[in-house]
């Protein structure tokens, strides 16, 4: 739940509960408690990556049950709007332009070597890459090929190094194996139910489509390159084991993602709008401020005219 005052100052009340029904109740309770302390221009509700204004909180004649229904209706309507339009929240796609995979990885590798000299990371042989491409049956973007020439899996060595927050880079063997496993798991969503995967890159499939080639993952969640044709061919998207690919594209390409990562590591900046790295006990780790991320998303939505 977030309150937005007349100067676009945003106060975020964040939390986690198990189940959407409980979440809607928590949103209403947090908003009601906050409004009792002082009025706010607008109250927004957030569920996962969906943010919507809920003007019904200005009607103090409504009961808690009514407000819960209002929050759920507005959240579900926004989710349906995004699905029907094939769109994604405007904040999901980073605007970093594509560049050079080799140049950006060199910046990251130099940074890693300075801090973790006993760890190592290497690329795959051309023959192994060709075999993986053949196994997936997809046309890999040149950037994906170049990436695996430099990076075939995460670092090895005595130090714990989380190069990415929430994900580890996959080896080629894991790319082929995890992709096949995910397609099998999600097959009923897009085949037996008679659904068709949209033909253009970047469009929400709401399943793990054969055109998705993962390159990083952990615990059933993945970053993948979308090899469907179109203007966003080669974009990097996120696949969540609960929400599939509903967030839409995250970066225009692998090199764009690596640029943001290199900037974060070398310039001590946030990565992916909320993640900050630290080295503690000889380990590289990431911490995320959801409150900052939600506030940033809502400011963008207000700017886009969704207040």
């Amino acid at each position: 739940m977030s309150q937005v005052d007349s100067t676009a100052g945003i106060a975020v009340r964040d939390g986690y509960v198990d189940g959407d029904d409980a979440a809607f109740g928590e949103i209403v309770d947090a908003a009601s408690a906050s409004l009792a302390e002082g009025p706010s221009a607008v109250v927004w509700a957030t569920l996962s990556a969906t943010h919507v204004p809920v003007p019904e909180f200005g009607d103090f004649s409504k009961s808690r049950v009514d407000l819960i229904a209002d929050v759920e209706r507005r959240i579900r309507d926004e989710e349906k709007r995004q699905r029907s339009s094939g769109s994604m929240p405007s904040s999901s796609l980073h605007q970093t332009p594509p560049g050079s995979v080799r140049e950006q990885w060199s910046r990251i590798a130099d940074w890693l070597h300075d801090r973790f000299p006993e760890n190592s990371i290497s690329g795959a042989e051309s023959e192994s890459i060709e075999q993986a491409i053949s196994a997936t049956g997809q046309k890999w973007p040149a950037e994906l090929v170049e990436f695996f020439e430099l990076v075939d899996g995460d670092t090895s060595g005595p130090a714990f190094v989380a190069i990415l927050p929430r994900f580890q880079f996959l080896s080629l063997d894991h790319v082929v194996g995890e992709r096949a496993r995910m397609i099998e798991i999600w097959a009923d969503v897009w085949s037996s139910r008679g659904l068709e995967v949209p033909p253009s890159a970047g469009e929400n499939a709401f399943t793990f489509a054969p055109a998705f080639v993962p390159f990083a993952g952990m615990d059933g969640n993945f970053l993948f390159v979308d090899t469907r044709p179109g203007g966003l061919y080669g974009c990097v998207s996120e696949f969540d084991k609960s929400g599939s690919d509903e967030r839409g594209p995250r970066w225009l390409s692998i090199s764009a993602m690596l640029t943001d990562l290199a900037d974060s590591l070398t310039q001590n900046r946030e990565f992916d709008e909320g993640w900050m790295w630290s080295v503690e006990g000889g380990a590289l780790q990431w911490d995320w401020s959801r409150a900052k991320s939600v506030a940033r998303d809502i400011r963008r939505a207000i700017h886009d005219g969704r207040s």
Side-chain angles (χ1 to χ4, degrees):
M1 187 282 295
S2 305
Q3 286 180 271
V4 185
D5 65 22
S6 59
T7 62
I10 299 177
V12 179
R13 291 0 180 231
D14 192 24
Y16 175 82
V17 292
D18 188 12
D20 287 356
D21 290 342
F24 296 137
E26 286 290 316
I27 290 170
V28 169
D29 291 343
S32 299
S34 183
L35 289 173
E37 299 175 0
S40 175
V42 180
V43 172
W44 286 64
T46 293
L47 184 69
S48 185
T50 301
H51 317 286
V52 291
V54 186
E56 287 81 4
F57 278 114
D59 184 352
F60 294 100
S61 67
K62 284 184 171 284
S63 68
R64 181 177 184 272
V65 172
D66 291 337
L67 289 172
I68 290 175
D70 290 330
V71 169
E72 180 173 13
R73 173 175 54 81
R74 290 194 174 273
I75 288 284
R76 298 309 183 201
D77 285 350
E78 175 62 15
E79 290 174 341
K80 289 177 182 177
R81 184 194 68 79
Q82 292 175 16
R83 287 186 173 92
S84 63
S85 65
S87 66
M88 60 282 184
S90 60
S91 60
S92 290
L93 179 62
H94 297 281
Q95 296 303 310
T96 309
S100 165
V101 169
R102 193 168 299 274
E103 177 181 337
Q104 298 307 322
W105 180 253
S106 178
R107 295 173 63 202
I108 296 167
D110 288 346
W111 186 92
L112 291 170
H113 179 72
D114 288 344
R115 287 158 180 80
F116 307 98
E118 296 183 3
N119 279 52
S120 63
I121 192 166
S122 58
E125 298 292 334
S126 297
E127 182 179 356
S128 298
I129 296 174
E130 290 299 326
Q131 290 174 351
I133 294 173
S134 177
T136 63
Q138 306 301 314
K139 178 185 176 183
W140 285 23
E143 286 197 4
L144 184 59
V145 175
E146 187 171 21
F147 176 77
F148 277 102
E149 291 174 348
L150 301 167
V151 185
D152 186 22
D154 228 315
T155 65
S156 60
F160 175 75
V161 178
I163 304 179
L164 288 172
R166 299 186 301 127
F167 301 102
Q168 291 183 329
F169 289 129
L170 301 176
S171 68
L172 285 173
D173 288 342
H174 283 107
V175 168
V176 174
E178 291 293 333
R179 174 182 171 276
R181 183 178 69 86
M182 292 299 292
I183 290 174
E184 181 179 0
I185 290 173
W186 285 78
D188 66 315
V189 177
W190 63 276
S191 59
S192 64
R193 297 181 186 179
L195 301 177
E196 294 184 0
V197 174
S200 298
E203 292 188 78
N204 293 126
F206 301 107
T207 185
F208 199 96
F212 296 170
V213 181
F215 65 91
M218 184 177 290
D219 298 330
N221 303 313
F222 298 91
L223 289 176
F224 67 88
V225 168
D226 193 336
T227 67
R228 289 175 292 178
L232 287 176
Y233 168 72
C235 67
V236 173
S237 295
E238 181 178 333
F239 192 90
D240 180 84
K241 59 186 175 184
S242 299
S244 67
D245 63 336
E246 65 182 1
R247 293 194 69 184
R250 307 304 318 287
W251 286 274
L252 294 170
S253 71
I254 286 183
S255 64
M257 185 200 74
L258 293 179
T259 297
D260 284 355
L261 180 59
D263 286 349
S264 174
L265 294 173
T266 62
Q267 301 173 27
N268 200 29
R269 290 164 47 178
E270 285 186 357
F271 175 69
D272 197 12
E273 300 189 337
W275 291 96
M276 281 298 297
W277 62 270
S278 63
V279 177
E280 297 182 15
L284 173 63
Q285 60 187 29
W286 296 85
D287 296 303
W288 185 55
S289 172
R290 176 172 170 80
K292 288 182 179 179
S293 179
V294 168
R296 186 182 294 109
D297 288 351
I298 291 175
R299 285 193 181 95
R300 289 179 174 174
I302 292 172
H303 182 268
D304 292 341
R306 285 181 48 223
S307 58

